[in-house]
Amino acid sequence: GKSRSCSVVNLSTIPDRGVNECNIAMLGCRGSGKSALTVKFLTKRFISEYDPNLEDTYTSEEIVDQQPVLLKVMDTADQDGPVNCERYLNWANAFIVVYSIDNRRSFEACRLYLDTVSIHTKGVQQEYPVILLGNKLDMERYRQVSKSDGLSLASKYGCLFYEVSACLDFDSVQRVFHEAAREARRE
Ligand code: GDP
Ligand code: MG
């Protein structure tokens, strides 16, 4: 007989809809280590000198909880404080706000970023995971921000809190980025 044109869709040829994607914006004042953390996450290496004005977005295919995630990281490079925030507020679905534990001023600057993000997410009626991240844990001797100060600021804004170092172990840094992706999926 005549072969009929087949109207049955072969499901296996349809690309996965909703392949997990997560856009993470790195925020925080200049010098807190956003680029060093981003590079560490992407390459497992610590780069000590990174162009402070370079803002870029990087993509990495990650496996988080046995599931593939296309993780994009925007390493922002504000001159002083949150300006032109739309570029990341409208793009990101997770935020990592970084300070340096050996620099009180960098910690105070986090409030501005946390306020900016929380005002935005209230406006769009959607929750996005925010992680407050104390960097330069290797500088313990010069610590100016106690762990409990970090914790209490994080709890005030309802965000997660970690302390790491971009120049120590890779796993702790990776864990923070993966946690952001995990939380973004949950929202
Ligand atoms: P950004 O302006 O937030 O992107 O900061 P950078 O990543 O450019 O880092 C600013 C400075 O801090 C550079 O001199 C880095 O080498 C240094 N730095 C970054 N992360 C760490 C860290 O975990 N420990 C130490 N000791 N220095 C760091
Ligand atoms: Mg930078």
Side-chain angles (χ1 to χ4, degrees):
K2 259 206 259 166
S3 66
R4 290 189 296 156
S5 67
C6 184
S7 62
V8 177
V9 176
N10 182 353
L11 288 170
S12 67
T13 64
I14 300 180
D16 263 353
R17 294 196 303 115
V19 163
N20 260 310
E21 281 192 29
C22 181
N23 294 351
I24 301 175
M26 303 294 287
L27 310 179
C29 85
R30 177 178 277 246
S32 57
K34 300 177 295 297
S35 299
L37 288 164
T38 302
V39 171
K40 178 78 166 198
F41 170 61
L42 295 168
T43 70
K44 301 192 178 181
R45 294 189 185 174
F46 174 64
I47 307 285
S48 65
E49 293 303 323
Y50 198 85
D51 180 349
N53 299 310
L54 186 59
E55 176 164 306
D56 213 337
T57 300
Y58 307 89
T59 301
S60 178
E61 290 176 33
E62 298 289 315
I63 304 289
V64 181
D65 302 332
Q66 291 87 47
Q67 289 183 47
V69 187
L70 194 63
L71 225 156
K72 296 183 185 174
V73 182
M74 186 191 291
D75 175 28
T76 68
D78 283 339
Q79 299 282 345
D80 29 33
V83 278
N84 300 321
C85 310
E86 296 74 22
R87 72 189 192 283
Y88 52 77
L89 290 176
N90 295 328
W91 174 85
N93 44 23
F95 300 90
I96 298 179
V97 179
V98 183
Y99 67 92
S100 170
I101 67 154
D102 66 350
N103 186 318
R104 189 76 202 179
R105 196 181 54 81
S106 73
F107 179 69
E108 298 304 333
C110 287
R111 296 175 198 275
L112 299 174
Y113 286 99
L114 293 168
D115 281 336
T116 302
V117 171
S118 68
I119 288 165
H120 172 77
T121 56
K122 274 196 196 94
V124 297
Q125 302 284 309
Q126 175 150 17
E127 290 275 329
Y128 294 114
V130 181
I131 294 176
L132 179 65
L133 183 60
N135 185 36
K136 310 195 188 181
L137 196 52
D138 58 293
M139 301 292 273
E140 184 69 62
R141 292 171 58 202
Y142 306 101
R143 187 190 275 275
Q144 292 182 359
V145 184
S146 70
K147 195 167 181 178
S148 66
D149 282 352
L151 271 168
S152 71
L153 184 62
S155 74
K156 188 176 161 210
Y157 285 88
C159 45
L160 296 163
F161 174 69
Y162 297 98
E163 287 184 342
V164 295
S165 165
C167 58
L168 297 178
D169 69 300
F170 166 71
D171 289 353
S172 309
V173 174
Q174 185 191 49
R175 192 173 307 133
V176 174
F177 285 85
H178 282 191
E179 189 60 22
R182 189 173 288 125
E183 288 294 317
R185 185 161 59 206
R186 219 171 269 158
E187 298 293 342

